Amino acid sequence: HNPTTMERVLAPPLLSRSVHALRKNRTMSEGKMKLMVLLLTFMSYTLFHATRKPPSVVKSVLKGGKELSGGKKSAGWAPFNGDRGDVLLGNVDSAFLLTYAVGMFFAGRIADAANLRVFLSIGMMGTGIFTVLVGMAYFWNIHSYSYFIIMQVMAGLFQSTGWASGVAGMGKLFTG
């Protein structure tokens, strides 16, 4: 039977069909399984990495002084819009990066012993939550330097789970 254009458009993608096949206890070739796991791991790490972009995008807005349309300059966001704004933003970045680096060591140890699906899921959810919480400071009118430090420290901890989980998963899958 030749599928119509509409059937091809509505057909679930290969990854979705593969997951569905697994749920129904159908067999899947080892090659397809490895490809599916590789693609899912790549996508999950891509999403981890994507959550690192928002802080770098909003730094200039937080600092203030950015030229807006009409020749006006943005006021910035306290406490980052003062004379020491660059230092404070640097400290927030450093808090994230230091926590991320230290967390990678421990996350690697935990990933070797943990259920990788659970470990990776917790890491991804935590990363998303703390990325959103940084953005919510605007809506909740939070101007606390400590808040931003704590959010970035927590984001760094959860971010550190991504690489460890990915490497551990790939190692288990491709080394037999």
Side-chain angles (χ1 to χ4, degrees), residues 4-21:
T4 65
T5 303
M6 186 56 83
E7 287 174 328
R8 282 193 302 262
V9 168
L10 295 177
L14 174 63
L15 213 50
S16 177
R17 287 193 308 262
S18 300
V19 170
H20 187 65

mmCIF file with all atom_site columns, all heavy atoms in Angstrom, residues 4-21:
data_model
loop_
_atom_site.group_PDB
_atom_site.id
_atom_site.type_symbol
_atom_site.label_atom_id
_atom_site.label_alt_id
_atom_site.label_comp_id
_atom_site.label_asym_id
_atom_site.label_entity_id
_atom_site.label_seq_id
_atom_site.pdbx_PDB_ins_code
_atom_site.Cartn_x
_atom_site.Cartn_y
_atom_site.Cartn_z
_atom_site.occupancy
_atom_site.B_iso_or_equiv
_atom_site.pdbx_formal_charge
_atom_site.auth_seq_id
_atom_site.auth_comp_id
_atom_site.auth_asym_id
_atom_site.auth_atom_id
_atom_site.pdbx_PDB_model_num
ATOM 1   N N   . THR A 1 4  ? -0.655 7.890  1.192  1.00 0.00 ? 4  THR A N   1
ATOM 2   C CA  . THR A 1 4  ? -0.977 9.177  0.591  1.00 0.00 ? 4  THR A CA  1
ATOM 3   C C   . THR A 1 4  ? -0.119 10.255 1.243  1.00 0.00 ? 4  THR A C   1
ATOM 4   O O   . THR A 1 4  ? 0.526  10.018 2.273  1.00 0.00 ? 4  THR A O   1
ATOM 5   C CB  . THR A 1 4  ? -2.462 9.519  0.804  1.00 0.00 ? 4  THR A CB  1
ATOM 6   O OG1 . THR A 1 4  ? -2.673 9.692  2.207  1.00 0.00 ? 4  THR A OG1 1
ATOM 7   C CG2 . THR A 1 4  ? -3.380 8.442  0.264  1.00 0.00 ? 4  THR A CG2 1
ATOM 8   N N   . THR A 1 5  ? -0.132 11.427 0.663  1.00 0.00 ? 5  THR A N   1
ATOM 9   C CA  . THR A 1 5  ? 0.626  12.546 1.226  1.00 0.00 ? 5  THR A CA  1
ATOM 10  C C   . THR A 1 5  ? 0.163  12.835 2.646  1.00 0.00 ? 5  THR A C   1
ATOM 11  O O   . THR A 1 5  ? 0.982  13.057 3.540  1.00 0.00 ? 5  THR A O   1
ATOM 12  C CB  . THR A 1 5  ? 0.454  13.813 0.358  1.00 0.00 ? 5  THR A CB  1
ATOM 13  O OG1 . THR A 1 5  ? 0.870  13.499 -0.967 1.00 0.00 ? 5  THR A OG1 1
ATOM 14  C CG2 . THR A 1 5  ? 1.268  14.962 0.904  1.00 0.00 ? 5  THR A CG2 1
ATOM 15  N N   . MET A 1 6  ? -1.130 12.806 2.880  1.00 0.00 ? 6  MET A N   1
ATOM 16  C CA  . MET A 1 6  ? -1.664 13.096 4.212  1.00 0.00 ? 6  MET A CA  1
ATOM 17  C C   . MET A 1 6  ? -1.211 12.033 5.205  1.00 0.00 ? 6  MET A C   1
ATOM 18  O O   . MET A 1 6  ? -0.846 12.349 6.327  1.00 0.00 ? 6  MET A O   1
ATOM 19  C CB  . MET A 1 6  ? -3.186 13.175 4.180  1.00 0.00 ? 6  MET A CB  1
ATOM 20  C CG  . MET A 1 6  ? -3.792 13.608 5.502  1.00 0.00 ? 6  MET A CG  1
ATOM 21  S SD  . MET A 1 6  ? -3.150 15.188 6.098  1.00 0.00 ? 6  MET A SD  1
ATOM 22  C CE  . MET A 1 6  ? -4.146 16.305 5.190  1.00 0.00 ? 6  MET A CE  1
ATOM 23  N N   . GLU A 1 7  ? -1.179 10.777 4.800  1.00 0.00 ? 7  GLU A N   1
ATOM 24  C CA  . GLU A 1 7  ? -0.714 9.713  5.693  1.00 0.00 ? 7  GLU A CA  1
ATOM 25  C C   . GLU A 1 7  ? 0.760  9.898  6.040  1.00 0.00 ? 7  GLU A C   1
ATOM 26  O O   . GLU A 1 7  ? 1.172  9.672  7.164  1.00 0.00 ? 7  GLU A O   1
ATOM 27  C CB  . GLU A 1 7  ? -0.932 8.340  5.049  1.00 0.00 ? 7  GLU A CB  1
ATOM 28  C CG  . GLU A 1 7  ? -2.384 7.907  5.019  1.00 0.00 ? 7  GLU A CG  1
ATOM 29  C CD  . GLU A 1 7  ? -2.581 6.614  4.245  1.00 0.00 ? 7  GLU A CD  1
ATOM 30  O OE1 . GLU A 1 7  ? -1.823 6.369  3.276  1.00 0.00 ? 7  GLU A OE1 1
ATOM 31  O OE2 . GLU A 1 7  ? -3.477 5.848  4.619  1.00 0.00 ? 7  GLU A OE2 1
ATOM 32  N N   . ARG A 1 8  ? 1.558  10.330 5.059  1.00 0.00 ? 8  ARG A N   1
ATOM 33  C CA  . ARG A 1 8  ? 2.972  10.567 5.327  1.00 0.00 ? 8  ARG A CA  1
ATOM 34  C C   . ARG A 1 8  ? 3.154  11.744 6.282  1.00 0.00 ? 8  ARG A C   1
ATOM 35  O O   . ARG A 1 8  ? 4.019  11.716 7.145  1.00 0.00 ? 8  ARG A O   1
ATOM 36  C CB  . ARG A 1 8  ? 3.731  10.813 4.027  1.00 0.00 ? 8  ARG A CB  1
ATOM 37  C CG  . ARG A 1 8  ? 4.014  9.537  3.271  1.00 0.00 ? 8  ARG A CG  1
ATOM 38  C CD  . ARG A 1 8  ? 5.035  9.778  2.177  1.00 0.00 ? 8  ARG A CD  1
ATOM 39  N NE  . ARG A 1 8  ? 4.626  10.794 1.238  1.00 0.00 ? 8  ARG A NE  1
ATOM 40  C CZ  . ARG A 1 8  ? 4.065  10.582 0.059  1.00 0.00 ? 8  ARG A CZ  1
ATOM 41  N NH1 . ARG A 1 8  ? 3.845  9.355  -0.341 1.00 0.00 ? 8  ARG A NH1 1
ATOM 42  N NH2 . ARG A 1 8  ? 3.729  11.570 -0.728 1.00 0.00 ? 8  ARG A NH2 1
ATOM 43  N N   . VAL A 1 9  ? 2.353  12.796 6.118  1.00 0.00 ? 9  VAL A N   1
ATOM 44  C CA  . VAL A 1 9  ? 2.465  13.967 6.986  1.00 0.00 ? 9  VAL A CA  1
ATOM 45  C C   . VAL A 1 9  ? 2.042  13.623 8.411  1.00 0.00 ? 9  VAL A C   1
ATOM 46  O O   . VAL A 1 9  ? 2.665  14.050 9.377  1.00 0.00 ? 9  VAL A O   1
ATOM 47  C CB  . VAL A 1 9  ? 1.611  15.146 6.444  1.00 0.00 ? 9  VAL A CB  1
ATOM 48  C CG1 . VAL A 1 9  ? 1.493  16.250 7.463  1.00 0.00 ? 9  VAL A CG1 1
ATOM 49  C CG2 . VAL A 1 9  ? 2.195  15.661 5.144  1.00 0.00 ? 9  VAL A CG2 1
ATOM 50  N N   . LEU A 1 10 ? 0.999  12.819 8.547  1.00 0.00 ? 10 LEU A N   1
ATOM 51  C CA  . LEU A 1 10 ? 0.474  12.493 9.866  1.00 0.00 ? 10 LEU A CA  1
ATOM 52  C C   . LEU A 1 10 ? 1.207  11.342 10.542 1.00 0.00 ? 10 LEU A C   1
ATOM 53  O O   . LEU A 1 10 ? 1.009  11.098 11.726 1.00 0.00 ? 10 LEU A O   1
ATOM 54  C CB  . LEU A 1 10 ? -1.017 12.153 9.775  1.00 0.00 ? 10 LEU A CB  1
ATOM 55  C CG  . LEU A 1 10 ? -1.923 13.308 9.344  1.00 0.00 ? 10 LEU A CG  1
ATOM 56  C CD1 . LEU A 1 10 ? -3.362 12.820 9.211  1.00 0.00 ? 10 LEU A CD1 1
ATOM 57  C CD2 . LEU A 1 10 ? -1.841 14.456 10.326 1.00 0.00 ? 10 LEU A CD2 1
ATOM 58  N N   . ALA A 1 11 ? 2.059  10.641 9.804  1.00 0.00 ? 11 ALA A N   1
ATOM 59  C CA  . ALA A 1 11 ? 2.790  9.524  10.396 1.00 0.00 ? 11 ALA A CA  1
ATOM 60  C C   . ALA A 1 11 ? 3.752  10.040 11.462 1.00 0.00 ? 11 ALA A C   1
ATOM 61  O O   . ALA A 1 11 ? 4.393  11.064 11.280 1.00 0.00 ? 11 ALA A O   1
ATOM 62  C CB  . ALA A 1 11 ? 3.566  8.785  9.314  1.00 0.00 ? 11 ALA A CB  1
ATOM 63  N N   . PRO A 1 12 ? 3.836  9.336  12.584 1.00 0.00 ? 12 PRO A N   1
ATOM 64  C CA  . PRO A 1 12 ? 4.766  9.780  13.624 1.00 0.00 ? 12 PRO A CA  1
ATOM 65  C C   . PRO A 1 12 ? 6.210  9.653  13.154 1.00 0.00 ? 12 PRO A C   1
ATOM 66  O O   . PRO A 1 12 ? 6.521  8.794  12.328 1.00 0.00 ? 12 PRO A O   1
ATOM 67  C CB  . PRO A 1 12 ? 4.476  8.845  14.801 1.00 0.00 ? 12 PRO A CB  1
ATOM 68  C CG  . PRO A 1 12 ? 3.708  7.715  14.252 1.00 0.00 ? 12 PRO A CG  1
ATOM 69  C CD  . PRO A 1 12 ? 3.109  8.151  12.955 1.00 0.00 ? 12 PRO A CD  1
ATOM 70  N N   . PRO A 1 13 ? 7.071  10.511 13.626 1.00 0.00 ? 13 PRO A N   1
ATOM 71  C CA  . PRO A 1 13 ? 8.471  10.429 13.228 1.00 0.00 ? 13 PRO A CA  1
ATOM 72  C C   . PRO A 1 13 ? 9.111  9.114  13.684 1.00 0.00 ? 13 PRO A C   1
ATOM 73  O O   . PRO A 1 13 ? 8.592  8.428  14.557 1.00 0.00 ? 13 PRO A O   1
ATOM 74  C CB  . PRO A 1 13 ? 9.126  11.615 13.927 1.00 0.00 ? 13 PRO A CB  1
ATOM 75  C CG  . PRO A 1 13 ? 8.112  12.212 14.813 1.00 0.00 ? 13 PRO A CG  1
ATOM 76  C CD  . PRO A 1 13 ? 6.795  11.580 14.538 1.00 0.00 ? 13 PRO A CD  1
ATOM 77  N N   . LEU A 1 14 ? 10.243 8.793  13.090 1.00 0.00 ? 14 LEU A N   1
ATOM 78  C CA  . LEU A 1 14 ? 10.937 7.541  13.370 1.00 0.00 ? 14 LEU A CA  1
ATOM 79  C C   . LEU A 1 14 ? 11.190 7.346  14.860 1.00 0.00 ? 14 LEU A C   1
ATOM 80  O O   . LEU A 1 14 ? 10.957 6.271  15.405 1.00 0.00 ? 14 LEU A O   1
ATOM 81  C CB  . LEU A 1 14 ? 12.266 7.498  12.603 1.00 0.00 ? 14 LEU A CB  1
ATOM 82  C CG  . LEU A 1 14 ? 13.174 6.308  12.919 1.00 0.00 ? 14 LEU A CG  1
ATOM 83  C CD1 . LEU A 1 14 ? 12.506 4.998  12.523 1.00 0.00 ? 14 LEU A CD1 1
ATOM 84  C CD2 . LEU A 1 14 ? 14.508 6.466  12.221 1.00 0.00 ? 14 LEU A CD2 1
ATOM 85  N N   . LEU A 1 15 ? 11.641 8.401  15.539 1.00 0.00 ? 15 LEU A N   1
ATOM 86  C CA  . LEU A 1 15 ? 11.939 8.294  16.960 1.00 0.00 ? 15 LEU A CA  1
ATOM 87  C C   . LEU A 1 15 ? 10.688 7.929  17.755 1.00 0.00 ? 15 LEU A C   1
ATOM 88  O O   . LEU A 1 15 ? 10.720 7.069  18.625 1.00 0.00 ? 15 LEU A O   1
ATOM 89  C CB  . LEU A 1 15 ? 12.518 9.620  17.455 1.00 0.00 ? 15 LEU A CB  1
ATOM 90  C CG  . LEU A 1 15 ? 13.539 9.583  18.551 1.00 0.00 ? 15 LEU A CG  1
ATOM 91  C CD1 . LEU A 1 15 ? 14.648 8.597  18.263 1.00 0.00 ? 15 LEU A CD1 1
ATOM 92  C CD2 . LEU A 1 15 ? 14.107 10.964 18.748 1.00 0.00 ? 15 LEU A CD2 1
ATOM 93  N N   . SER A 1 16 ? 9.576  8.557  17.412 1.00 0.00 ? 16 SER A N   1
ATOM 94  C CA  . SER A 1 16 ? 8.325  8.285  18.099 1.00 0.00 ? 16 SER A CA  1
ATOM 95  C C   . SER A 1 16 ? 7.866  6.855  17.831 1.00 0.00 ? 16 SER A C   1
ATOM 96  O O   . SER A 1 16 ? 7.419  6.154  18.730 1.00 0.00 ? 16 SER A O   1
ATOM 97  C CB  . SER A 1 16 ? 7.263  9.286  17.649 1.00 0.00 ? 16 SER A CB  1
ATOM 98  O OG  . SER A 1 16 ? 6.033  8.987  18.244 1.00 0.00 ? 16 SER A OG  1
ATOM 99  N N   . ARG A 1 17 ? 7.985  6.415  16.578 1.00 0.00 ? 17 ARG A N   1
ATOM 100 C CA  . ARG A 1 17 ? 7.598  5.032  16.254 1.00 0.00 ? 17 ARG A CA  1
ATOM 101 C C   . ARG A 1 17 ? 8.482  4.036  16.987 1.00 0.00 ? 17 ARG A C   1
ATOM 102 O O   . ARG A 1 17 ? 8.019  3.000  17.448 1.00 0.00 ? 17 ARG A O   1
ATOM 103 C CB  . ARG A 1 17 ? 7.693  4.801  14.739 1.00 0.00 ? 17 ARG A CB  1
ATOM 104 C CG  . ARG A 1 17 ? 6.597  5.486  13.952 1.00 0.00 ? 17 ARG A CG  1
ATOM 105 C CD  . ARG A 1 17 ? 6.543  4.979  12.516 1.00 0.00 ? 17 ARG A CD  1
ATOM 106 N NE  . ARG A 1 17 ? 7.811  5.023  11.823 1.00 0.00 ? 17 ARG A NE  1
ATOM 107 C CZ  . ARG A 1 17 ? 8.193  5.993  10.995 1.00 0.00 ? 17 ARG A CZ  1
ATOM 108 N NH1 . ARG A 1 17 ? 7.390  7.014  10.755 1.00 0.00 ? 17 ARG A NH1 1
ATOM 109 N NH2 . ARG A 1 17 ? 9.356  5.937  10.392 1.00 0.00 ? 17 ARG A NH2 1
ATOM 110 N N   . SER A 1 18 ? 9.764  4.364  17.110 1.00 0.00 ? 18 SER A N   1
ATOM 111 C CA  . SER A 1 18 ? 10.691 3.466  17.794 1.00 0.00 ? 18 SER A CA  1
ATOM 112 C C   . SER A 1 18 ? 10.344 3.329  19.267 1.00 0.00 ? 18 SER A C   1
ATOM 113 O O   . SER A 1 18 ? 10.351 2.234  19.821 1.00 0.00 ? 18 SER A O   1
ATOM 114 C CB  . SER A 1 18 ? 12.124 3.979  17.644 1.00 0.00 ? 18 SER A CB  1
ATOM 115 O OG  . SER A 1 18 ? 12.474 4.040  16.287 1.00 0.00 ? 18 SER A OG  1
ATOM 116 N N   . VAL A 1 19 ? 10.039 4.437  19.900 1.00 0.00 ? 19 VAL A N   1
ATOM 117 C CA  . VAL A 1 19 ? 9.660  4.408  21.311 1.00 0.00 ? 19 VAL A CA  1
ATOM 118 C C   . VAL A 1 19 ? 8.359  3.630  21.472 1.00 0.00 ? 19 VAL A C   1
ATOM 119 O O   . VAL A 1 19 ? 8.214  2.823  22.383 1.00 0.00 ? 19 VAL A O   1
ATOM 120 C CB  . VAL A 1 19 ? 9.541  5.838  21.882 1.00 0.00 ? 19 VAL A CB  1
ATOM 121 C CG1 . VAL A 1 19 ? 8.928  5.830  23.267 1.00 0.00 ? 19 VAL A CG1 1
ATOM 122 C CG2 . VAL A 1 19 ? 10.900 6.515  21.900 1.00 0.00 ? 19 VAL A CG2 1
ATOM 123 N N   . HIS A 1 20 ? 7.409  3.872  20.562 1.00 0.00 ? 20 HIS A N   1
ATOM 124 C CA  . HIS A 1 20 ? 6.138  3.159  20.617 1.00 0.00 ? 20 HIS A CA  1
ATOM 125 C C   . HIS A 1 20 ? 6.357  1.655  20.455 1.00 0.00 ? 20 HIS A C   1
ATOM 126 O O   . HIS A 1 20 ? 5.729  0.847  21.142 1.00 0.00 ? 20 HIS A O   1
ATOM 127 C CB  . HIS A 1 20 ? 5.197  3.698  19.538 1.00 0.00 ? 20 HIS A CB  1
ATOM 128 C CG  . HIS A 1 20 ? 3.811  3.145  19.624 1.00 0.00 ? 20 HIS A CG  1
ATOM 129 N ND1 . HIS A 1 20 ? 2.985  3.406  20.692 1.00 0.00 ? 20 HIS A ND1 1
ATOM 130 C CD2 . HIS A 1 20 ? 3.121  2.338  18.787 1.00 0.00 ? 20 HIS A CD2 1
ATOM 131 C CE1 . HIS A 1 20 ? 1.832  2.786  20.507 1.00 0.00 ? 20 HIS A CE1 1
ATOM 132 N NE2 . HIS A 1 20 ? 1.891  2.133  19.357 1.00 0.00 ? 20 HIS A NE2 1
ATOM 133 N N   . ALA A 1 21 ? 7.267  1.270  19.568 1.00 0.00 ? 21 ALA A N   1
ATOM 134 C CA  . ALA A 1 21 ? 7.567  -0.151 19.369 1.00 0.00 ? 21 ALA A CA  1
ATOM 135 C C   . ALA A 1 21 ? 8.131  -0.770 20.640 1.00 0.00 ? 21 ALA A C   1
ATOM 136 O O   . ALA A 1 21 ? 7.798  -1.900 20.994 1.00 0.00 ? 21 ALA A O   1
ATOM 137 C CB  . ALA A 1 21 ? 8.557  -0.320 18.214 1.00 0.00 ? 21 ALA A CB  1
#
